Amino acid sequence: MYSDKKNLLQTVALLRAHGISEVVVCPGSRNAPFAKTFADSPDFNCYAVTDERSAGFFAIGRALQTGRPAVVCCTSGSALLNLHPAVCEAYYQRIPLVVVSADRPAAWIGQMDGQTLPQPGVFGTLVKKSVNLPEIHTEEDEWFVNRLVNEALLELDHHGCGPVHINVPLSEPLFNFTTETLPEVRRMIRFDGMADSGRELKGFLASELPRFHRCMVISGQMRPDEAACLAAAIPSKCVAWLTEIIGNASGFPKAVRGFDTLLYAADEDLLQRLRPDLVITLGGHIVSKRLKQFLRHTQPLVHWHVSPDGAPADLFGCLTAVFESPADDFCRALSQVVKSEVSDYAAAWSSACAALPSPEVDYSELTAVRRVLEALPVPAVLHLANSSSVRLAELCPLPAGIEVHCNRGVNGIEGSMSTSVGYAAFSSRMNVFLVGDLSFFYDMNALWNSYVQPNLRIVVFNNGAGAIFHALPGLKIDEPINRIVTARHETSAEGWARERGFIYLRADNAHSLQDALPAFYDNQAAAPCILEIFTEAMTDAVELRNYYHHLKNWSNSSTQ
């Protein structure tokens, strides 16, 4: 019988799934659940070594002799510190050593409880990966533990071998051995672009792809050159290729955009037809929360992730394979093994998104963004701030030949204008930056330097508050928290724009906006320009909801 501790069971089951069978166990009470679970499983060869200083080196010897990773398991407290010399040796000799340390619950560390010290990260830079597992109380906890252990074990031989550390807090009671079998666990694999030949990758794709009939490829944030290479390589007739405005693929008819809106409008029958069984992610961040929620609730689903550094990104909670490869190289390999005929699944996504009505609503930020993007000169560089700007721009078509940038690494509001100023200062094209009022005022010092050039155009959407908060589901904003949550204000960019030598334009209705755009985009202007577009504080959120309501009505009528 095995321990009832779920984080322990995930760890042991994943060691088995990754083919690791050699385990050196040191004595102790906190790691006794590990000792019995390892010993009772026929999949492990266990060796008892009392002194941790010796046990770590014994495990190194076993790893050297077998050519496979070995585990050393110890109890909490100073026992773990005694493994430090062996970990150091394994690091510099590049030996795949797995340190599994039992620990006390975090609440009791530093509270004069016995055998406690801060164990997470204790080996510092001398391990390739260190993870600290939570105790499992929810399904999300279990997914998190599974992900962390997979990530640690994948690093054992990634770009050379070395040690990893898995720290496992265990609460009392410790000695409930009521589990009859180890759980079935999800194992992640990685194709290392530095080590695995193209033949092995193609063999994997050829054996696995026939299992899947609805293949979706999602390209996140990309540079224009990356998107162009991807467009040339991707088998778009066979897979549904989804991308967003920050994916820089607007000029490629193969790419499907507008899926965030479609997922809002689609009824259950259409959603069933659009559900994939394989998702392949490429590039950087994805903005659409609806797409993430849609895929996180799609079962069963297999997720493969492609990244140049081979880092796992378990965005939908079902990652099974990581490919260390440039996106276009992977897609070329994919093209060589997929069927050549047109996929009904790919066609379903393309036709459904193409049928969506345009976001034509009353004067609001949504219509203002549409008009600004329609009038963009080509070629140009479009910079998007986070929050409303990038989401509203995603609802609108974009002319081909526009390069798009957005700070989606962390998605914060700080620095988006500074980034656009830094880019425009050394660009020969017109650079247009779309930003909300809070982000603009937060980063006003971006204009306080000597590098601002006449090719910079800034559109400030001023609705007197962070209106996007009104559109958040489940958040009811009443006084007095309205002023606090939405940062309501009566500030204008005009004074700062004129003081910094900008041409200043203002629009507060559809006619004044249309009148301002020719001057705003005048490429003969001797100074940079700010166009401040005013809407009512609540208009943005209300009109956006009205547009989505219109989509629901359209969706219902189109299926009748």
Side-chain angles (χ1 to χ4, degrees), residues 233-256:
I234 194 167
S236 58
K237 293 182 179 179
C238 311
V239 302
W241 175 24
L242 275 59
T243 189
E244 296 172 306
I245 190 171
I246 61 172
N248 275 299
S250 295
F252 303 107
K254 301 177 181 179
V256 175

Side-chain angles (χ1 to χ4, degrees), residues 29-30 75-79 102-119 135 169-172 174:
S29 60
R30 191 61 50 165
T75 194
S76 64
S78 58
D103 198 0
R104 307 288 173 118
W108 292 103
I109 307 302
Q111 302 306 305
M112 300 178 68
D113 199 25
Q115 291 184 292
T116 60
L117 56 85
Q119 293 182 195
E135 296 192 78
L170 300 173
S171 294
E172 296 182 1
L174 296 174

Side-chain angles (χ1 to χ4, degrees), residues 144-222:
F144 188 29
V145 167
N146 177 278
R147 197 200 86 199
L148 288 175
V149 177
N150 265 302
E151 288 179 356
L153 298 181
L154 284 176
E155 285 302 311
L156 280 168
D157 60 356
H158 186 220
H159 296 313
C161 295
V164 300
H165 177 205
I166 301 171
N167 191 63
V168 189
L170 300 173
S171 294
E172 296 182 1
L174 296 174
F175 310 125
N176 290 337
F177 299 101
T178 57
T179 305
E180 295 184 357
T181 59
L182 292 177
E184 293 296 322
V185 290
R186 173 189 56 153
R187 177 198 171 195
M188 297 180 190
I189 62 173
R190 173 161 44 204
F191 281 84
D192 188 340
M194 301 294 290
D196 295 313
S197 68
R199 185 180 307 150
E200 290 174 326
L201 172 58
K202 290 175 185 175
F204 173 82
L205 294 177
S207 65
E208 289 296 310
L209 281 172
R211 297 172 46 209
F212 307 106
H213 304 288
R214 297 179 170 191
C215 181
M216 174 188 291
V217 175
I218 306 171
S219 58
Q221 185 167 24
M222 283 188 170

Side-chain angles (χ1 to χ4, degrees), residues 480-503:
I481 68 166
N482 184 23
R483 178 182 57 83
I484 300 170
V485 172
T486 68
R488 194 174 57 200
H489 65 88
E490 296 179 359
T491 309
S492 168
E494 181 175 4
W496 186 238
R498 296 193 186 282
E499 195 282 333
R500 298 308 306 147
F502 276 68
I503 298 169

Side-chain angles (χ1 to χ4, degrees), residues 45 54 59 77 89 221 225-226 256 262 301 322 336 404 409 433 442 455 464 492 542:
N45 302 315
S54 177
E89 181 66 23
Q221 185 167 24
D225 58 324
E226 293 175 319
V256 175
L262 177 66
L301 179 68
V322 183
Q336 294 175 14
V404 183
F433 176 50
Y442 193 96
N455 64 340
S492 168
V542 171

Side-chain angles (χ1 to χ4, degrees), residues 177-497:
F177 299 101
T178 57
T179 305
E180 295 184 357
T181 59
L182 292 177
E184 293 296 322
V185 290
R186 173 189 56 153
R187 177 198 171 195
M188 297 180 190
I189 62 173
R190 173 161 44 204
F191 281 84
D192 188 340
M194 301 294 290
D196 295 313
S197 68
R199 185 180 307 150
E200 290 174 326
L201 172 58
K202 290 175 185 175
F204 173 82
L205 294 177
S207 65
E208 289 296 310
L209 281 172
R211 297 172 46 209
F212 307 106
H213 304 288
R214 297 179 170 191
C215 181
M216 174 188 291
V217 175
I218 306 171
S219 58
Q221 185 167 24
M222 283 188 170
R223 299 191 308 270
D225 58 324
E226 293 175 319
C229 290
L230 177 62
I234 194 167
S236 58
K237 293 182 179 179
C238 311
V239 302
W241 175 24
L242 275 59
T243 189
E244 296 172 306
I245 190 171
I246 61 172
N248 275 299
S250 295
F252 303 107
K254 301 177 181 179
V256 175
R257 281 196 54 211
F259 54 81
D260 184 82
T261 306
L262 177 66
L263 290 173
Y264 180 90
D267 59 22
E268 188 58 33
D269 288 341
L270 179 55
L271 289 178
Q272 287 295 337
R273 295 197 297 273
L274 296 178
R275 282 188 167 90
D277 49 16
L278 171 65
V279 172
I280 302 172
T281 50
L282 312 155
H285 282 241
I286 300 164
V287 177
S288 174
K289 188 173 183 179
R290 287 191 185 92
L291 180 63
K292 296 171 191 174
Q293 292 173 336
F294 172 63
L295 295 175
R296 286 169 187 171
H297 291 91
T298 295
Q299 298 296 330
L301 179 68
V302 174
H303 174 204
W304 297 347
H305 181 61
V306 182
S307 64
D309 61 1
D314 193 12
L315 186 58
F316 314 118
C318 54
L319 182 68
T320 58
V322 183
F323 301 89
E324 184 174 312
S325 170
D328 56 322
D329 285 354
F330 176 85
C331 285
R332 273 188 285 272
L334 188 69
S335 296
Q336 294 175 14
V337 296
V338 297
K339 296 178 180 179
S340 58
E341 62 263 22
V342 176
S343 163
D344 291 341
Y345 179 68
W349 270 100
S350 296
S351 59
C353 287
L356 287 169
S358 298
E360 294 292 348
V361 294
D362 294 338
Y363 174 73
S364 67
E365 284 191 8
L366 180 56
T367 51
V369 169
R370 185 177 178 86
R371 298 292 174 256
V372 168
L373 295 186
E374 285 175 341
L376 274 170
V378 178
V381 181
L382 175 65
H383 303 268
L384 299 172
N386 279 304
S387 201
S388 291
S389 298
V390 65
R391 289 172 172 84
L392 292 172
E394 178 58 30
L395 295 174
C396 305
L398 187 69
I402 303 298
E403 179 177 335
V404 183
H405 293 276
C406 182
N407 286 356
R408 290 302 294 180
V410 184
N411 313 344
I413 70 167
E414 61 280 318
S416 55
M417 186 155 61
S418 295
T419 300
S420 66
V421 170
Y423 190 105
F426 306 97
S427 172
S428 60
R429 291 172 289 176
M430 182 176 290
N431 282 250
V432 182
F433 176 50
L434 273 57
V435 60
D437 45 6
L438 298 191
S439 294
F440 175 84
F441 295 128
Y442 193 96
D443 197 20
M444 281 170 55
N445 280 343
L447 309 184
W448 186 34
N449 66 57
S450 58
Y451 304 105
V452 178
Q453 300 296 318
N455 64 340
L456 181 64
R457 303 290 184 274
I458 299 175
V459 182
V460 182
F461 297 101
N462 193 337
N463 49 38
I468 193 172
F469 294 110
H470 288 286
L472 294 178
L475 179 60
K476 184 178 180 181
I477 300 180
D478 298 320
E479 297 296 347
I481 68 166
N482 184 23
R483 178 182 57 83
I484 300 170
V485 172
T486 68
R488 194 174 57 200
H489 65 88
E490 296 179 359
T491 309
S492 168
E494 181 175 4
W496 186 238

